[in-house]
Amino acid sequence: QSVTLITGEQLRARGIARVSDALRSVPGVAIVQNGSTGSVNTLFLRGGESRYTKVLIDGVAVNAPGGFFDFSHLTTDNIDRIEVVRGPASVVHGADAMSGIVQIFTRQGLGPLAVGAEARAGSHGSREVSADASGASGRARYSIGGAARRTDGILSFNNQYYNGTLSGSAGFAPAENADVMVSARYSAAEFHYPTDFTGAPVDSNSYRVQHRLTVGFDASARLTRAITGRIRAGTNGVSDLTEDISVPFGAQDEVSSALMSRNRRRSAEGALKFDVASTAVTIGTEYVHEKENSVNSEGPVGGAASPTSSFLASRSNKAVYGEAIGDFARVSYTFAARMDDNSDYDVYATYRAGANIPVTGSARLRGSIS
C-alpha cells in the first residue's frame, strides 16, 4: 500500500490546527469545504466517494452510519501522528475503507512531565488558546491536551465559529511483553451560517451545534515468542442540532425549526498475530453495532415545538478476517480475506492480494487486486 505519515511535530511547527488542512498536502487526497471555517469538510481519496474512506482515532472508527465523515471540527490537538493509507483496505477494516484509511493517533507520554501552552490571534476576530501536558513514570504514561478556538468568520454577520477540544490517553505496561491503553477525545463546536441554498448571505440566525465523544481501549500481549494477542474496543457518539427561524412561504409569523440527530457506533475486536519466518499472519474477528435517530420539529418562536418527522434505525455487523504480510527475495507481498455477516445485508466475502517489487535503484513496482 502507499502510505503517508504526518507527525504531530510537523503539524505544530507549521501551525496547522485542523486535520483537514494537514491532509491537503497528501498525494491523492482532495478536500472540499462548503464555506467558511466550520462548514462541512469532505475528503475524497483517490477519486473515491467521501463514504469510501475510513477514519480511525486510536483504532476507533468515527465515520457516520453509511461511511461519511465531516472533518470540519477535527483538530490536531494532542495528536502524535496521522497515517494515510491510499488504496483499498476493506478486507481488514470493513466496507467503508474501499478508497483507503486515515488513522489518527493520540500523543503518548514519554519521559519526565512536559507542559506546553500556546495563544494566537489573527484576522476576522480569530483567536486560539491551547495547553498540553504529558509524561511517564515507571510503567505508566499519560498525556492530556485541550484547546479553545473561535472566529467571527469571513462574512459580515452570523458567521461565528467556536470549537473546544479535550483529548487524553493513559497507558500501562503490566508486564514486559504486555500493554494496555485507554484514550478519549471530546469536542464541542458551534457554527453560524447566514447563507441559503443559493449561497446568498440572507439568514441572521441559522446555526448548528455538534458534540462528539470517542473512547478507545487497546490491550496487547505477547503470548509466546511467535504469537501476539490483541483486544480492542471503542465507542463513538455524535449529537447534532441544526436550528433556524424563518417565515414560511405564504405565512406571516416566524417559525422555529430544528433537526436533532444522534448516532452511536460501538465496536469490539480480537486478533492473534503469528510470526512465521518472514511472514506475519493475523487472524481476527470484529463486532460493530450502529444506531441512529433523528427528529425534525417545528413551532412558533418562543412556543412549544411539535415533531414533524422522525427516524430510528440500528444495525450490526459480525466479521472474521485473515491477513498475511511478508517478503521473499526483496519482494514484499500481502494476502487477505474477510467474511462479513450484516444484519441488513447478505453475507459477503472480500479478498485482496498485492505485491511490491523492486525494479532498479529507488524505483519499485506496486500492484494489487481486490
Side-chain angles (χ1 to χ4, degrees), residues 16 114 186:
I16 294 177
Y186 172 76

Side-chain angles (χ1 to χ4, degrees), residues 58 106-108 141-143 168-172 179-184 214-219 233:
D58 293 321
T106 301
R107 187 189 302 180
Q108 300 290 296
R141 62 190 186 278
Y142 57 88
S143 78
S169 71
F172 180 69
D179 188 76
V180 178
M181 189 190 81
V182 177
S183 63
T214 305
V215 180
F217 171 82
D218 191 336

